[in-house]
Amino acid sequence: MFGLSVSRGVAIGRAVLVASSRVDVAHYFIDDERVEPEITRLRTARDAVASELTTLQRELPAEAPAELSALLDVHLMLLRDDTLTGATKHWIRERHYNAEWALSAQLEVLARQFDEMEDEYLRERKADLEQVVERLLRAMARGPASSFAPAPGVRHRDFAGEDPLVMVANDIAPADMLQFKRSVFTGFITDVGGKTSHTAIVARSMDIPAVVGAREASRIIRQDDWIVIDGDAGIVIVDPSPIVLEEYRFRQRQIELGRERLARLRHTPAVTLDGERVELLANIEMPSDAAAALDAGAIGVGLFRSEFLFMNRGGDLPGEDEQFEAYRTAVIAMKGLPVTIRTVDIGADKALDRMSTNELRHEHVLNPALGLRAIRWSLSEPAMFRQQLRAILRASAYGKVRLLIPMVAHLTEVRLTLEALARARQQLSEAGKAYTAVELGAMIEVPASALMLPTFLRYFDFVSIGTNDLIQYTLAIDRADEAVAHLYDPWHPAVLNLMARVIAQARAAGKPVSVCGEMAGDPAFTQILLGMGLRSFSMHPSQVASIKQRVLRTDARRWSLLMSRVLASDDPELECKNAALVLSPPQREDLALGG
Ligand code: PEP
Ligand code: MG
């Protein structure tokens, strides 16, 4: 089965199918002694739902249609049926899943059986089953919380003797993906999604092999199937033969060895063969990611996607103090190295809980990627925007903070941002709260801002090119839509020319320019970006070492001499591949790493 490779490496494990609506259910393993109490939680929830349904039925008004009572009967029957709660116990006892996970695993098994039924009436009972499970999950959430849920921040280990697990879902929202950062899963497969969708970006930041856009995966793969995820090739193999399995186990070991070799570069400065210093920065989603950034040898944070602080909160937004604490934590963790905090980029595929994903995706907003997103959203919520600006400014008293504004396209947005910033400073001064000067940067990710860069540069201290969106908006390709993923092309001459122009103009104006989109962390682009004059790259911590290796082996001056030819070419990718063979022949480790 083919999909889009979004996070490299090989994962081998048993499939755990998760319905999209159930992805946010807690997934963790429990110990032997916790099996019975977990079953009790399930039983208590079942009894609560049974009494809920019986009461509902008893209190039905006399004029209520008879079908309603019959429907409640069906729900009660499903609830008592051993194939639901009885079999759920099996997942708890045998697999040591927590009750919520066990219940959703069993729902997947039964839903599949319903889908395959000939009889239409029976097939439609799947919706009833889902409603019953929903009620059970709600009852569990209301009941005493499981005292076994691991504390946040604890990395869940595979349960002793258990096989590794890979998650298979139709779709996973970026916010839900974030919850899997410390999860039991060693790989991910989704039916939908593009290479630079935020779900894919979070998967990459977890450094776990993942394939998205595998279309029928969640329909074809069955619960517990053995799966190989080849994250490099974007291939999913179901039920591999022993020979294939052995081959992939060998690949896994090779990749591990390659990683260990690369890790030795951690403290080596990133300098090209011709002596150009290159800044390798990290992209982070949470303050706790700062540790991984330092560990990887990043010399600062080039993009802190602050919107992730606003997710998974059931609709309430973090206040100024809470945000300040989060930013300060990241700043202190970076030990004096710069931290670039981007104001919230909410919207498009990153919904807030209070805007339902459907609302943002299709139902009410026709083109969410072109809608109320990023700075547009912030400016539509001025109090919230100033609150975030104050929180970021306050964090500047603890280290070097830079402020980055996403998706600017209009000069009015720049003016309003500057006004909001001035007001936020004034409010802090009046309140006697400390802050220092922060540099202000613009993300260049809309062609309009790329095309009028010199004007924008008058207002900003630095710029950062967001290639994920710049490609999306230049080529008119929804980055999260796998149906057009083949047209989402970072090598498109229009994209490369636009980038080259931005880099050249920023340098000419003496303003720092960085790239913080996924292209910065892809070794296939390191040489061409160096050739364009780029000296600052920001990427997931896990990619820093391989980009550094590329930098160390590149002669930036020789690549710059090739640029006019590459940029005028119909096929810049081929042009670069040919040039790479001459200028820096692949080394043995590159081949082993597939880089
Ligand atoms: C980008 O668009 O390249 C970028 C870095 O921002 P995000 O991926 O969060 O939209
Ligand atoms: Mg962007």
Side-chain angles (χ1 to χ4, degrees):
M1 202 177 314
F2 291 92
L4 303 165
S5 131
V6 296
S7 189
R8 308 181 63 164
V10 169
I12 303 172
R14 282 191 184 274
V16 174
L17 280 141
V18 182
S20 302
S21 56
R22 296 267 57 87
V23 168
D24 57 352
V25 158
H27 295 76
Y28 53 90
F29 290 112
I30 51 169
D31 293 337
D32 273 337
E33 69 270 22
R34 292 166 174 176
V35 165
E36 287 312 317
E38 203 64 358
I39 288 176
T40 306
R41 278 184 71 224
L42 179 69
R43 203 174 290 131
T44 311
R46 189 195 56 191
D47 294 346
V49 173
S51 89
E52 212 172 280
L53 291 174
T54 322
T55 311
L56 262 175
Q57 199 169 37
R58 203 178 42 236
E59 291 173 0
L60 273 182
E63 63 280 14
E67 289 84 2
L68 219 53
S69 175
L71 192 71
L72 289 171
D73 273 338
V74 170
H75 284 202
L76 276 164
M77 192 189 72
L78 287 168
L79 185 69
R80 293 188 182 122
D81 196 311
D82 209 45
T83 54
L84 181 61
T85 41
T88 298
K89 287 183 210 151
H90 158 85
W91 295 102
I92 301 177
R93 281 213 174 91
E94 306 301 321
R95 306 299 290 273
H96 289 243
Y97 291 179
N98 63 305
E100 288 88 345
W101 181 6
L103 191 59
S104 42
Q106 187 55 19
L107 169 65
E108 279 307 303
V109 172
L110 295 176
R112 190 67 68 98
Q113 289 170 7
F114 275 101
D115 282 341
E116 286 166 2
M117 281 176 184
E118 298 273 315
D119 184 302
E120 196 184 328
Y121 171 80
L122 288 179
R123 220 173 30 242
E124 284 171 0
R125 299 286 65 80
K126 186 173 101 169
D128 296 309
L129 176 72
E130 285 169 346
Q131 284 168 24
V132 170
V133 168
E134 199 62 55
R135 277 184 188 277
L136 280 167
L137 289 168
R138 271 206 305 261
M140 271 190 257
R142 275 197 310 270
S146 166
S147 50
F148 323 131
V154 173
R155 181 165 181 106
H156 311 252
R157 292 255 153 251
D158 282 355
F159 180 72
E162 277 293 338
D163 299 318
L165 302 173
V166 300
M167 179 186 268
V168 184
N170 174 257
D171 193 10
I172 306 177
D176 293 330
M177 197 69 182
L178 199 67
Q179 300 192 343
F180 292 120
K181 273 213 161 178
R182 294 171 201 90
S183 84
V184 295
F185 299 104
T186 57
F188 291 91
I189 304 167
T190 62
D191 297 344
V192 302
K195 236 178 146 121
T196 61
S197 64
H198 285 91
T199 302
I201 288 175
V202 179
R204 212 168 292 137
S205 77
M206 290 156 65
D207 202 15
I208 285 182
V211 168
V212 303
R215 295 182 176 245
E216 299 280 278
S218 73
R219 208 179 53 76
I220 293 169
I221 298 172
R222 291 174 181 262
Q223 200 79 278
D224 254 11
D225 276 349
W226 273 100
I227 302 286
V228 171
I229 301 178
D230 181 341
D232 297 317
I235 293 175
V236 175
I237 302 170
V238 186
D239 216 0
S241 67
I243 293 184
V244 170
L245 212 53
E246 201 30 60
E247 169 64 23
Y248 273 104
R249 292 226 155 94
F250 175 73
R251 285 263 308 275
Q252 268 186 322
R253 287 193 294 272
Q254 293 290 97
I255 290 169
E256 205 36 57
L257 284 176
R259 285 205 172 141
E260 283 167 18
R261 252 198 318 264
L262 275 180
R264 288 187 222 134
L265 292 178
R266 188 158 24 135
H267 300 298
T268 311
V271 181
T272 62
L273 287 175
D274 53 325
E276 291 283 327
R277 276 197 164 268
V278 178
E279 183 179 54
L280 300 184
L281 306 165
N283 291 353
I284 65 171
E285 275 97 38
M286 285 288 174
S288 52
D289 297 337
L294 279 184
D295 226 33
I299 58 167
V301 169
L303 173 65
F304 178 170
R305 289 184 162 98
S306 68
E307 58 274 12
F308 283 91
L309 296 175
F310 289 61
M311 296 178 183
N312 296 327
R313 313 176 46 99
D316 104 276
L317 301 182
E320 179 181 327
D321 286 343
E322 188 183 337
Q323 285 189 60
F324 161 62
E325 283 304 332
Y327 304 140
R328 185 173 66 158
T329 305
V331 168
I332 291 175
M334 288 307 291
K335 303 183 173 150
L337 295 171
V339 177
T340 312
I341 304 174
R342 176 174 76 179
T343 57
V344 282
D345 183 358
I346 254 353
D349 62 341
K350 286 175 290 191
L352 277 188
D353 297 340
R354 75 174 191 203
M355 325 154 141
S356 79
T357 310
N358 281 342
E359 195 175 312
L360 272 170
R361 283 230 168 113
H362 305 296
E363 254 108 278
H364 302 297
V365 181
L366 285 180
N367 286 302
L370 302 181
L372 197 61
R373 212 199 127 172
I375 187 64
R376 302 169 185 182
W377 187 77
S378 293
L379 291 174
S380 75
E381 301 261 350
M384 195 275 349
F385 188 38
R386 280 196 305 274
Q387 191 178 61
Q388 178 168 39
L389 292 174
R390 288 195 301 270
I392 296 173
L393 286 170
R394 283 169 63 191
S396 72
Y398 296 84
K400 188 165 167 33
V401 170
R402 292 194 288 218
L403 183 59
L404 184 60
I405 311 295
M407 261 192 90
V408 270
H410 299 265
L411 278 175
T412 45
E413 290 162 346
V414 179
R415 271 186 219 115
L416 290 170
T417 299
L418 291 172
E419 276 168 30
L421 197 54
R423 179 95 183 93
R425 285 195 178 107
Q426 186 196 359
Q427 288 171 330
L428 288 180
S429 302
E430 282 166 10
K433 292 190 172 144
Y435 64 92
T436 62
V438 298
E439 287 177 359
L440 182 65
M443 286 204 61
I444 304 299
E445 45 186 354
V446 178
S449 58
L451 291 168
M452 55 183 288
L453 192 79
T455 313
F456 274 80
L457 286 176
R458 292 210 297 268
Y459 301 93
F460 290 98
D461 303 306
F462 68 99
V463 288
S464 187
I465 307 176
T467 50
N468 307 335
D469 279 315
L470 189 62
I471 298 167
Q472 152 164 278
Y473 297 125
T474 303
L475 303 181
I477 300 294
D478 185 338
R479 62 194 261 196
D481 185 352
E482 78 283 357
V484 283
H486 59 292
L487 297 171
Y488 184 94
D489 181 14
W491 287 106
H492 193 296
V495 172
L496 296 177
N497 276 282
L498 211 45
M499 291 178 67
R501 183 185 151 125
V502 169
I503 294 167
Q505 288 181 343
R507 283 177 62 118
K511 300 272 167 106
V513 52
S514 185
V515 169
C516 62
E518 298 300 293
M519 276 171 89
D522 184 342
F525 296 98
T526 312
Q527 293 152 329
I528 182 173
L529 293 176
L530 287 169
M532 287 179 188
L534 188 76
R535 298 293 179 264
S536 173
F537 297 63
S538 192
M539 67 208 79
H540 301 295
S542 62
Q543 290 155 326
V544 170
S546 53
I547 298 299
K548 190 182 282 182
Q549 189 185 48
R550 269 293 144 97
V551 168
L552 294 171
R553 293 176 181 169
T554 301
D555 186 323
R557 198 188 60 85
R558 292 182 74 184
W559 274 88
S560 74
L561 297 175
L562 288 175
M563 275 310 108
S564 52
R565 201 168 83 218
V566 170
L567 293 172
S569 166
D570 288 355
D571 191 346
E573 182 175 15
L574 184 67
E575 202 73 47
C576 281
K577 277 190 175 150
N578 290 340
L581 285 176
V582 180
L583 295 182
S584 38
Q587 318 253 330
R588 241 165 17 98
E589 304 94 278
D590 291 345
L591 296 174
L593 283 169

Short mmCIF file of all heavy atoms in Angstrom, two decimals, residues 198 303 305 307 342 345 350 373-374 406-407 443 445 466-470 472-473 479 516-517, ligand 2:
data_model
loop_
_atom_site.label_atom_id
_atom_site.label_comp_id
_atom_site.label_asym_id
_atom_site.label_seq_id
_atom_site.Cartn_x
_atom_site.Cartn_y
_atom_site.Cartn_z
N HIS A 198 -0.26 19.76 9.16
CA HIS A 198 0.30 19.89 10.51
C HIS A 198 0.34 18.56 11.25
O HIS A 198 1.17 18.35 12.12
CB HIS A 198 -0.42 20.98 11.28
CG HIS A 198 0.00 22.33 10.82
ND1 HIS A 198 -0.65 23.01 9.82
CD2 HIS A 198 1.08 23.09 11.15
CE1 HIS A 198 -0.01 24.14 9.57
NE2 HIS A 198 1.04 24.22 10.36
N LEU A 303 11.50 28.60 15.38
CA LEU A 303 10.04 28.65 15.27
C LEU A 303 9.41 27.89 16.44
O LEU A 303 9.57 26.68 16.54
CB LEU A 303 9.58 28.01 13.94
CG LEU A 303 8.07 27.85 13.75
CD1 LEU A 303 7.38 29.21 13.69
CD2 LEU A 303 7.75 27.06 12.48
N ARG A 305 5.88 27.11 17.54
CA ARG A 305 4.49 27.19 17.05
C ARG A 305 3.56 27.32 18.25
O ARG A 305 3.02 26.34 18.75
CB ARG A 305 4.14 25.94 16.24
CG ARG A 305 4.82 25.83 14.89
CD ARG A 305 4.32 24.60 14.13
NE ARG A 305 4.60 24.65 12.72
CZ ARG A 305 5.64 24.04 12.13
NH1 ARG A 305 6.50 23.35 12.85
NH2 ARG A 305 5.81 24.13 10.83
N GLU A 307 0.63 28.08 18.79
CA GLU A 307 -0.78 27.68 18.75
C GLU A 307 -1.04 26.33 19.43
O GLU A 307 -2.15 26.05 19.85
CB GLU A 307 -1.30 27.65 17.30
CG GLU A 307 -0.58 26.75 16.33
CD GLU A 307 0.63 27.42 15.70
OE1 GLU A 307 1.05 28.49 16.19
OE2 GLU A 307 1.20 26.86 14.74
N ARG A 342 6.40 32.42 17.59
CA ARG A 342 5.45 32.87 16.59
C ARG A 342 4.09 33.07 17.25
O ARG A 342 3.65 32.20 18.02
CB ARG A 342 5.33 31.82 15.48
CG ARG A 342 4.28 32.20 14.45
CD ARG A 342 4.27 31.25 13.29
NE ARG A 342 3.62 30.00 13.64
CZ ARG A 342 3.46 29.00 12.77
NH1 ARG A 342 3.92 29.11 11.54
NH2 ARG A 342 2.86 27.89 13.12
N ASP A 345 -0.95 30.66 15.14
CA ASP A 345 -1.36 30.40 13.76
C ASP A 345 -2.50 29.40 13.83
O ASP A 345 -2.35 28.23 13.53
CB ASP A 345 -0.17 29.85 12.96
CG ASP A 345 -0.52 29.62 11.50
OD1 ASP A 345 -1.68 29.85 11.13
OD2 ASP A 345 0.38 29.21 10.74
N LYS A 350 -5.49 23.60 11.76
CA LYS A 350 -5.30 23.62 13.22
C LYS A 350 -6.48 24.34 13.87
O LYS A 350 -6.48 25.55 14.03
CB LYS A 350 -4.00 24.35 13.57
CG LYS A 350 -2.77 23.54 13.26
CD LYS A 350 -1.50 24.34 13.50
CE LYS A 350 -1.33 25.43 12.48
NZ LYS A 350 0.00 26.06 12.52
N ARG A 373 -7.18 32.91 9.45
CA ARG A 373 -6.07 32.11 9.92
C ARG A 373 -4.95 33.02 10.41
O ARG A 373 -4.83 34.16 9.96
CB ARG A 373 -5.55 31.32 8.70
CG ARG A 373 -4.97 29.98 8.99
CD ARG A 373 -4.11 29.49 7.85
NE ARG A 373 -2.83 29.14 8.43
CZ ARG A 373 -1.86 28.53 7.78
NH1 ARG A 373 -1.99 28.24 6.51
NH2 ARG A 373 -0.74 28.24 8.40
N ALA A 374 -4.11 32.51 11.33
CA ALA A 374 -2.87 33.19 11.73
C ALA A 374 -3.10 34.64 12.13
O ALA A 374 -4.00 34.92 12.91
CB ALA A 374 -1.84 33.04 10.61
N PRO A 406 2.90 35.33 11.76
CA PRO A 406 2.61 34.43 10.64
C PRO A 406 1.67 35.03 9.60
O PRO A 406 0.77 35.81 9.93
CB PRO A 406 1.91 33.24 11.33
CG PRO A 406 1.24 33.85 12.53
CD PRO A 406 2.08 35.02 12.96
N MET A 407 1.90 34.68 8.36
CA MET A 407 0.97 34.94 7.25
C MET A 407 0.69 36.39 6.91
O MET A 407 -0.38 36.68 6.38
CB MET A 407 -0.36 34.24 7.52
CG MET A 407 -0.45 32.93 6.77
SD MET A 407 -2.10 32.28 6.79
CE MET A 407 -2.81 33.01 5.36
N MET A 443 6.79 36.18 8.89
CA MET A 443 6.90 34.96 8.11
C MET A 443 6.54 35.32 6.68
O MET A 443 5.54 35.98 6.43
CB MET A 443 5.94 33.90 8.64
CG MET A 443 6.46 33.34 9.93
SD MET A 443 5.88 31.70 10.31
CE MET A 443 6.45 30.69 9.00
N GLU A 445 5.22 33.72 3.76
CA GLU A 445 4.59 32.46 3.37
C GLU A 445 3.39 32.67 2.46
O GLU A 445 2.69 31.73 2.11
CB GLU A 445 4.21 31.62 4.60
CG GLU A 445 3.53 32.37 5.71
CD GLU A 445 3.31 31.52 6.96
OE1 GLU A 445 3.59 30.32 6.96
OE2 GLU A 445 2.84 32.10 7.96
N GLY A 466 8.29 30.62 5.34
CA GLY A 466 7.48 29.43 5.67
C GLY A 466 7.17 28.71 4.38
O GLY A 466 6.17 28.99 3.71
N THR A 467 8.03 27.78 4.03
CA THR A 467 7.87 27.16 2.70
C THR A 467 6.61 26.29 2.61
O THR A 467 6.05 26.12 1.53
CB THR A 467 9.10 26.30 2.35
OG1 THR A 467 9.36 25.43 3.46
CG2 THR A 467 10.30 27.16 2.09
N ASN A 468 6.17 25.76 3.75
CA ASN A 468 4.98 24.89 3.69
C ASN A 468 3.80 25.65 3.11
O ASN A 468 3.08 25.16 2.25
CB ASN A 468 4.61 24.39 5.09
CG ASN A 468 5.78 23.74 5.78
OD1 ASN A 468 6.69 23.25 5.11
ND2 ASN A 468 5.80 23.74 7.10
N ASP A 469 3.62 26.87 3.62
CA ASP A 469 2.51 27.67 3.11
C ASP A 469 2.88 28.38 1.82
O ASP A 469 2.03 28.56 0.96
CB ASP A 469 2.07 28.69 4.18
CG ASP A 469 1.17 28.04 5.20
OD1 ASP A 469 0.26 27.29 4.79
OD2 ASP A 469 1.39 28.25 6.40
N LEU A 470 4.13 28.79 1.70
CA LEU A 470 4.51 29.50 0.47
C LEU A 470 4.25 28.60 -0.76
O LEU A 470 3.76 29.05 -1.78
CB LEU A 470 5.98 29.93 0.51
CG LEU A 470 6.40 30.87 -0.62
CD1 LEU A 470 5.63 32.18 -0.57
CD2 LEU A 470 7.90 31.16 -0.58
N GLN A 472 2.06 26.07 -0.80
CA GLN A 472 0.59 25.91 -0.87
C GLN A 472 -0.06 27.09 -1.60
O GLN A 472 -0.90 26.91 -2.48
CB GLN A 472 0.05 25.78 0.55
CG GLN A 472 -1.38 26.24 0.76
CD GLN A 472 -1.99 25.75 2.07
OE1 GLN A 472 -2.47 24.63 2.15
NE2 GLN A 472 -1.97 26.58 3.09
N TYR A 473 0.37 28.32 -1.23
CA TYR A 473 -0.30 29.49 -1.80
C TYR A 473 0.23 29.87 -3.17
O TYR A 473 -0.47 30.49 -3.96
CB TYR A 473 -0.22 30.67 -0.82
CG TYR A 473 -0.94 30.40 0.49
CD1 TYR A 473 -0.30 30.52 1.72
CD2 TYR A 473 -2.27 29.99 0.49
CE1 TYR A 473 -0.96 30.27 2.91
CE2 TYR A 473 -2.95 29.73 1.68
CZ TYR A 473 -2.29 29.87 2.89
OH TYR A 473 -2.95 29.61 4.06
N ARG A 479 -2.21 22.01 1.22
CA ARG A 479 -1.12 21.16 1.72
C ARG A 479 -1.62 19.95 2.49
O ARG A 479 -0.87 19.01 2.75
CB ARG A 479 -0.15 21.99 2.58
CG ARG A 479 -0.80 22.57 3.80
CD ARG A 479 0.07 23.64 4.44
NE ARG A 479 0.83 23.15 5.57
CZ ARG A 479 1.41 23.94 6.47
NH1 ARG A 479 1.34 25.26 6.34
NH2 ARG A 479 2.08 23.44 7.47
N CYS A 516 11.98 28.29 7.77
CA CYS A 516 11.52 27.43 8.87
C CYS A 516 10.47 26.42 8.42
O CYS A 516 9.93 25.68 9.22
CB CYS A 516 10.98 28.27 10.03
SG CYS A 516 9.56 29.26 9.57
N GLY A 517 10.20 26.36 7.11
CA GLY A 517 9.29 25.33 6.61
C GLY A 517 10.02 24.00 6.50
O GLY A 517 11.23 23.92 6.76
MG MG B 2 2.83 28.52 7.77
#
